[in-house]
Amino acid sequence: MPDFADLPLWAIVAVFLGAAAMVWAAGSRLSGQVDAIARKLGLGPAFAGLLLLGGITSLPELATVTTASLSGNAPLAVNNLLGSAAIAMLLLAITDMVYGRAALTSVVANPATLMQGVLGTMLLAAVVLVVTTGDVAVGGTGLGTLAIAAGCAFAMRIVAGFEQRQVWQPADDDVPTEEEAEANEAERHPLPRLVAVTAALAAVVLVAGVTLAKSADAFATRTGLSSGIVGFVLVAGATSLPDLSALIAAARARRYELAVGDVFGTNLFNLMLLAPADALSSGPPVLSAAGTFEAVGALVALLMTGAFTVGFLERRDKTILRMGYDAAVSILIFAGGMTVMARFAS
C-alpha cells in the first residue's frame, strides 16, 4: 500500500472519503449476513455479534496494530486499540440517537449482553492496572498483555454460556422494518453462500479500513497533530467506521443484541490485540511504555461501558435528544475525557 503522506492534502482527504464509503457499504450489509449465519448455526444474537460481527469489524485494527508494531510505533498501536474501545461506545450512543424511538438499552433483553459489559469493564480496569504499575517481559511479550488476552478469550467463553438464558424478554414491534425484511431474506440463502458473501464483505472492510487508517495517519502527519490524539481519535475513529455502519443496520433491523454484541465484542477483540502488538514490537512491553494519556483513555472507555451497563440494568425508555440518558452520559464522559487527555497528549 502506498505512503499516503507523500500525497497532497486534498488527495489524502479524497482517499479517506472513498475508503469510508466502501466501509460503510460493506458494514451496512454485514449485520444482515451475520444474523442469517447465526440463525442457521443456532448461535444467539449477542454471541454472534461478539464473535462474528465484532471479529470482522476488528480486522482494520488488527492490520493497523500489526503495521504500527512492526514499524516500531507501539504507542500508536496501543492508542488505536484503547481509542477504538472508547469510540465504539460513542458509536453505540450515536446508534441510540438514530434508533430514536426509545432508549436503545430498554429494548435489549439478553443477560449475555449485560455480562459482556461487566467483563469489558473488568478487562479495561486490568489495562489501567498494568499501565500504572508496569509490565514484566516474558519471552519478548508483556505478562500483563498475555493475561489480558487470556481474560478476553475466557470472557467470550462465559458469554457463550449466558446466551442460552432468557432473563428478560424484549417487547418488539409487530411490523417488520425494511432492514429486518432484508435480514430475513438473507436467511433464505444456503449457508455456503452466506459465508462467501460475508467473507467478501470482510475483505472489503479489511482493505478499506486499513486505507482509512493510513490516510488518517497521513492527514495527521501533514497537519502536525499530536501522536497520542492521532492514535486515540483519528486512527481509532477511522478503523471503527465499520462498526458504525453495522450498528445502525442492525438497530434498524431490530437486531439489538447483535448491535450491542458487536460493540462489546469489538472491544474484547481489540484488547486481545494488545498481545500481538506487544509480541511484534521490538522494544519493552507496550503497556510499560504507556503513560497517563493511555491510562486515562482506558478509564474513559471503562466509564462509558459502565454507563451503558447501568442502562441495561435499569431498562428505562426515557430519552433526551432522541437518545437514552445512558447514551447522553457516555457522550459527556467522552468529551470530558478528551479534555483531560489533551493535557497529557504528546
Side-chain angles (χ1 to χ4, degrees):
M1 190 169 288
D3 186 0
F4 296 122
D6 296 332
L7 298 176
L9 189 59
W10 67 267
I12 295 174
V13 174
V15 169
F16 182 90
L17 294 177
M22 292 177 61
V23 164
W24 187 271
S28 297
R29 292 193 58 190
L30 265 176
S31 61
Q33 296 294 316
V34 167
D35 187 42
I37 291 175
R39 292 188 179 196
K40 285 185 176 292
L41 296 178
L43 299 176
F47 185 62
L50 183 155
L51 185 63
L52 299 178
L53 198 55
I56 291 173
T57 54
S58 291
L59 288 174
E61 280 88 357
L62 173 60
T64 303
V65 164
T66 301
T67 303
S69 297
L70 289 174
S71 63
N73 195 353
L76 177 64
V78 173
N79 283 313
N80 177 24
L81 294 175
L82 296 181
S84 295
I87 289 177
M89 304 312 300
L90 182 65
L91 297 183
L92 191 58
I94 295 173
T95 303
D96 194 352
M97 186 184 301
V98 172
Y99 173 67
R101 290 179 291 177
L104 185 60
T105 49
S106 70
V107 293
V108 174
N110 193 315
T113 303
L114 181 59
M115 180 58 73
Q116 288 174 7
V118 173
L119 294 172
T121 57
M122 293 175 66
L123 289 164
L124 284 166
V127 172
V128 177
L129 178 63
V130 176
V131 169
T132 54
T133 61
D135 204 352
V136 179
V138 177
T141 306
L143 182 61
T145 55
L146 289 175
I148 291 168
C152 291
F154 186 61
M156 293 179 187
R157 180 179 177 181
I158 292 175
V159 172
F162 260 76
E163 188 71 17
Q164 306 306 319
R165 297 180 56 189
Q166 297 295 327
V167 180
W168 304 296
Q169 292 293 336
D172 286 338
D173 298 330
D174 294 330
V175 181
T177 63
E178 180 179 349
E179 288 80 4
E180 189 174 16
E182 291 176 358
N184 293 335
E185 176 65 27
E187 191 180 357
R188 297 189 181 97
H189 298 307
L191 183 60
R193 176 177 174 180
L194 290 171
V195 172
V197 172
T198 303
L201 293 172
V204 173
V205 167
L206 174 60
V207 175
V210 173
T211 303
L212 271 173
K214 290 182 70 68
S215 58
D217 190 26
F219 178 84
T221 301
R222 294 293 298 273
T223 55
L225 293 176
S226 160
S227 59
I229 295 296
V230 167
F232 194 89
V233 178
L234 198 59
V235 177
T239 55
S240 295
L241 191 58
D243 293 283
L244 179 59
S245 56
L247 272 171
I248 291 177
R252 285 178 171 171
R254 293 207 292 260
R255 300 294 191 258
Y256 309 119
E257 282 85 3
L258 185 70
V260 179
D262 173 28
V263 170
F264 287 155
T266 296
N267 284 355
L268 289 178
F269 274 105
N270 288 347
L271 293 178
M272 191 181 295
L273 291 177
L274 286 169
D278 205 347
L280 295 173
S281 177
S282 58
V286 292
L287 291 183
S288 289
T292 305
F293 182 91
E294 289 77 13
V296 174
L299 285 172
V300 168
L302 187 157
L303 291 171
M304 294 175 73
T305 305
F308 275 106
T309 303
V310 171
F312 293 134
L313 281 168
E314 289 194 334
R315 300 194 68 226
R316 296 181 181 274
D317 61 357
K318 294 181 179 180
T319 60
I320 178 173
L321 299 177
R322 289 177 54 87
M323 72 181 82
Y325 286 178
D326 43 14
V329 168
S330 70
I331 291 176
L332 292 176
I333 292 172
F334 184 83
M338 290 306 304
T339 302
V340 173
M341 292 174 68
R343 297 174 52 195
F344 302 101
S346 59

